[in-house]
Structures are given as structure tokens and as C-alpha cells.
Amino acid sequence: MTTIIHCDMDAFYASVAELDDPSLRGKPVVVGAGIRGVVLSANYAARKFGIRAAMPVGRAKRMAPNAIFVSPDHHRYSEISARVMEIFQSFTPYVEPLSLDEAFMDITGAQKLLGTPREIGQAIRKRVHDECGITCSVGIASNKFIAKLASQHCKPNGMLEILDERLLEFLHPLPVGAMWGVGPKTGEALERLGLHTIGDIANTPRTTLMRALGDAAGASLYELAWGRDMRDVSNDE
């Protein structure tokens, strides 16, 4: 059976700022420059004030005037990211980066040598912390969709494995907005159908979803709502 890990750095840009300036630790830190700029990252202390990525910096400053705002350092982020990806590739050649701070890994073939999925996940987390000085959250499942949901569910600095026999128990209570492909427009269409959870989508006829959302989107959401995702981890350059 295929085993996929999704690894996501915790508040990556803000974590790098704290790494480079330890005096920031424990304080609300926001990465974003200029009143007219947008927030690139906020640590968990800043998120308690409601600050989120993509929010205007001016608004974030009004919400948390005592937060510390730091300018982004993209060269430094790329440097740390490269080190993180090297760690991932030491566990498996099948690594699919999604951005500087997250990636999928297919560890199916690594288990005979490196141990159980949980042991591999813990080893990855330990090396990222020890060698890069930041934390990450790890989701483990039999496909990409569930692995990514799992990593989001255990943030920050956690690990969650979703076994196939408990997949629907985990998936179906989640809100529809947790699904890939559900933005504001699709969310409104689902709301009109009275669908609020992923379980609601799963228990709606595929044809109904296809009529409301279009053939491709409706069929895709139906499959995902049953935890079915056939996409492989792609390490194509």
C-alpha cells in the first residue's frame, strides 16, 4: 500500500526570523513590509490576534500594534528551504515540493529500511529541527489529499497518521472549505445545496454535484469526499 507524507513548515517565514533573532521568540512576529504591503507570515502568537497571511500590513498593525513587524528575506528563506528539501530527499527520492515550505514524499519503498511511517515522520521532524532550527508538521496517509489534511490538522509542530480504516471518520466531519478546489464561489454553490461538511458532499449523488458545479469539478469533489485521490507524488524537475 502506498504511504504518503505531507510535511509543512510551521509559520515558515516567521520561524526563520525567530531563528535569526532569538530575541523574537515568544513575541508576536509578523513578516511583511510597508503599510501598503501584505502579511507573508505570522507566528502563532500573532495569529491569536487574528492576523493571517495575505492580510494588508496596515490592518495587521491595527489589530496588534505591539507585534513585531520584520521585512522579508527571500534569499534566507530559499537557503533554509534548500536544506529542508535535502533532508526530505535523504529519506526518499520521491519528493514533490509544493512551495518553499512544504512537500509531499512517497515513503512506500523506504519503510523496509527506515521503519514504520510514524518512525519515518518523527525522524524527518527531528532532523528538520536539529539541522535547520525550525519545526514542521507531518501528515501521513495513503494519498496526497488526506496527508495534506492531516498535516493541517496537527499544526503546529505535530504529526498525525490517518489509517485507511479511520479515513472517513476523520474526513467526513470536516467543513467543505477544507477540500481542495473549494474556494468562495464553489463554497457558495455547495451552501445553496445545503452541503456543509465533506460527509454531506459524499452523500450527495455525483450527478447532482456535476450539475451544480460542472462535470469535472463535481466528479472530483465527489471522489475526494470519499477519500479517493489517485495522484502520484511527482518529482519531475
Side-chain angles (χ1 to χ4, degrees):
M1 188 181 74
T2 301
T3 304
I4 307 294
I5 279 180
H6 179 258
C7 191
D8 195 2
M9 304 303 111
D10 300 315
F12 179 57
Y13 295 172
S15 294
V16 173
E18 293 179 28
L19 177 66
D20 292 343
D21 182 358
S23 71
L24 298 176
R25 288 181 180 152
K27 301 171 183 175
V29 175
V30 180
V31 178
I35 294 296
R36 297 182 183 277
V38 297
V39 172
L40 296 180
S41 179
N43 68 1
Y44 291 89
R47 293 181 194 188
K48 291 178 181 177
F49 294 94
I51 297 173
R52 296 290 183 268
M55 176 183 289
V57 169
R59 182 181 172 199
K61 288 188 173 182
R62 290 192 296 274
M63 295 172 74
N66 294 323
I68 299 169
F69 288 76
V70 299
S71 296
D73 184 346
H74 294 288
H75 176 76
R76 183 73 169 131
Y77 306 145
S78 295
E79 180 184 286
I80 299 288
S81 175
R83 286 162 56 189
V84 168
M85 297 301 165
E86 284 178 8
I87 291 171
F88 295 166
Q89 287 159 356
S90 73
F91 286 87
T92 173
Y94 302 105
V95 177
E96 180 183 345
L98 299 180
S99 60
L100 287 176
D101 61 341
E102 63 175 317
F104 287 113
M105 287 164 273
D106 186 333
I107 61 162
T108 308
Q111 294 175 61
K112 184 177 289 188
L113 185 63
L114 300 177
T116 66
R118 291 188 65 84
E119 288 169 340
I120 294 171
Q122 290 287 29
I124 291 169
R125 294 177 62 229
K126 184 176 189 305
R127 283 194 56 193
V128 168
H129 179 266
D130 291 352
E131 297 176 28
C132 301
I134 57 177
T135 64
C136 61
S137 297
V138 164
I140 307 168
S142 59
N143 66 57
K144 293 164 80 171
F145 173 54
I146 302 300
K148 185 170 172 67
L149 281 179
S151 71
Q152 293 169 344
H153 214 69
C154 66
K155 280 188 158 292
N157 194 22
M159 185 174 73
L160 178 62
E161 180 179 16
I162 304 297
L163 300 173
D164 277 357
E165 56 265 32
R166 301 198 64 183
L167 190 155
L168 297 182
E169 178 186 334
F170 164 73
L171 180 62
H172 280 180
L174 297 177
V176 296
M179 297 188 76
W180 279 338
V182 177
K185 185 177 178 182
T186 302
E188 288 172 12
L190 294 171
E191 182 77 24
R192 287 195 295 272
L193 291 172
L195 307 180
H196 307 290
T197 68
I198 295 178
D200 292 339
I201 295 174
N203 291 298
T204 299
R206 183 199 299 260
T207 51
T208 301
L209 295 170
M210 291 168 70
R211 279 198 302 271
L213 305 172
D215 288 355
S220 174
L221 282 190
Y222 183 82
E223 291 299 312
L224 290 177
W226 284 104
R228 296 191 283 260
D229 179 11
M230 304 305 293
R231 293 166 307 150
D232 294 326
V233 170
S234 172
N235 58 349
D236 296 338
E237 293 297 331

